[in-house]
Amino acid sequence: MLKLENDSDSGVTNSLGARIFKQLQNDILNGKYEPGDVLTEMKLSEELGVSRTPIREALKQLELEGLVQSTPGKGLVVQGVSDKDIEDIYTIRMMIEGLAARWAAEKITFKEIEELKEVLEFEEFYTLKGGGTGNLIKLDSRFHDLVFKASKSKPLMHILSTFHHYVQSARGASFETPGRAQKVFEEHKAIMQAIIARDPELAEKLTTQHVKNASINMMNQKKETKSDTAK
């Protein structure tokens, strides 16, 4: 029997169905369930050791998110996040993530500034000493989540946090690119300094460029992967 992960920091309600949704969502985004896999209430009920009612609730939410699709004769088939989805997410992020940084520069609190500084200290440590991609991804997520939180906009925070979650695999691959971790740290540091200086225009400009750089890096990786596969 699998054990459900308890995501107490999530904005999702803590009902059993919501917790199952979060776990299945993570399993799909992390590749445990791949596109084309079929998810059934009975099998998941046995694996998770819960009744089919919360499973049904979770699957409905996954379908609304577009991560699974009801297919006649098969059931719910995993769709996952396509390359096109990832490209679209980065394009949308370029358009709106700068706004979060702009508002953060205007509204950030002293406590949030201290939290940002702490994240950057850890990020510098793991970037210079080498702490594994996993630690850097967590710190990257934490940095952006703090900026979103400092914007004081719940809708913006929800949208952007979801986007970051959905492209976590692409972000992980990005950190594997030689020199990218150092570049990310430098970009984060510049964004933090602009926010602390209460410079909305600069914070927005630097953040937009940061997302653009991440998008370019991702596109280059895809080209290299396709080139290697074709050989």
Side-chain angles (χ1 to χ4, degrees), residues 20 40-46 50-59:
I20 293 172
T40 66
E41 291 180 17
M42 183 177 295
K43 183 178 179 181
L44 291 171
S45 177
E46 292 174 355
V50 297
S51 71
R52 294 171 65 172
T53 300
I55 296 290
R56 190 176 303 120
E57 177 188 337
L59 291 176

Side-chain angles (χ1 to χ4, degrees), residues 126-193:
Y126 284 117
T127 299
L128 297 177
K129 302 296 183 180
T133 301
N135 286 321
L136 290 174
I137 292 175
K138 290 178 181 178
L139 290 167
D140 177 66
S141 295
R142 181 61 178 157
F143 175 84
H144 285 279
D145 284 344
L146 284 171
V147 173
F148 303 158
K149 178 183 176 183
S151 75
K152 305 302 185 288
S153 172
K154 290 182 180 179
L156 199 60
M157 182 169 62
H158 175 72
I159 292 169
L160 291 173
S161 293
T162 299
F163 280 173
H164 267 252
H165 190 48
Y166 271 44
V167 296
Q168 60 185 353
S169 294
R171 288 166 52 224
S174 176
F175 275 102
E176 297 290 350
T177 304
R180 181 57 189 160
Q182 178 66 34
K183 186 65 176 175
V184 168
F185 166 70
E186 292 170 356
E187 291 170 2
H188 282 178
K189 185 176 181 180
I191 292 168
M192 181 188 71
Q193 290 173 338

Side-chain angles (χ1 to χ4, degrees), residues 98 101-103 105-106 194-195 197-206:
R102 168 180 282 275
W103 286 348
E106 296 172 343
I195 290 174
R198 307 286 181 176
D199 190 333
E201 291 186 10
L202 181 58
E204 181 175 19
K205 179 181 177 180
L206 291 172

Side-chain angles (χ1 to χ4, degrees), residues 19-89:
R19 288 173 56 202
I20 293 172
F21 161 72
K22 289 297 294 182
Q23 178 159 331
L24 293 178
Q25 181 191 53
N26 284 329
D27 288 342
I28 291 173
L29 295 177
N30 291 328
K32 177 181 176 180
Y33 299 118
E34 299 179 346
D37 287 349
V38 177
L39 300 182
T40 66
E41 291 180 17
M42 183 177 295
K43 183 178 179 181
L44 291 171
S45 177
E46 292 174 355
E47 288 182 352
L48 299 175
V50 297
S51 71
R52 294 171 65 172
T53 300
I55 296 290
R56 190 176 303 120
E57 177 188 337
L59 291 176
K60 285 181 180 178
Q61 185 60 36
L62 287 173
E63 190 169 11
L64 289 174
E65 295 282 332
L67 293 176
V68 300
Q69 184 176 33
S70 181
T71 304
K74 286 189 176 182
L76 287 173
V77 180
V78 174
Q79 302 298 303
V81 179
S82 68
D83 288 347
K84 181 61 167 59
D85 293 333
I86 293 174
E87 290 177 17
D88 288 348
I89 287 173

